[in-house]
Amino acid sequence: MSNIIDMLDGLQNRALRDSGIRERLLATRGEQDPLSAFCRVCRELGYEIYEMELVCAGEEFHAAMKRSTNGGGENSPMIAGEDDFYELFMANLE
């Protein structure tokens, strides 16, 4: 999971410095399958990020966060999008 987070962090920093990359990534939101389009652009830019890895990393991160609170209980509801690394990434680019 940390590898995905590291790659996303590096890509985000790069995109914030390069408006062309930033625009390419933001444009994926308008695609029919935004997540696949995003991952394709990531790979074109040299970041080996695939859809299922991204989804699983978000879910694992959220689960780890929940385990670290309330003694590991699962009694707090998930807030929509809080485990969605794609949406969090895009929100940071905007």
Side-chain angles (χ1 to χ4, degrees), residues 9-62:
D9 187 47
L11 179 59
Q12 182 177 33
N13 288 329
R14 188 174 165 192
L16 291 172
R17 290 188 311 270
D18 184 325
S19 62
I21 291 173
R22 182 177 172 272
E23 293 305 316
R24 280 184 72 190
L25 293 167
L26 287 172
T28 64
R29 287 184 139 178
E31 296 287 330
Q32 183 173 350
D33 185 352
L35 185 60
S36 292
F38 174 77
C39 290
R40 184 181 61 249
V41 171
C42 290
R43 291 189 300 272
E44 289 170 3
L45 294 170
Y47 299 86
E48 290 297 315
I49 298 174
Y50 295 89
E51 293 88 330
M52 285 310 297
E53 292 173 335
L54 190 58
V55 169
C56 289
E59 290 174 355
E60 289 172 18
F61 183 78
H62 175 72

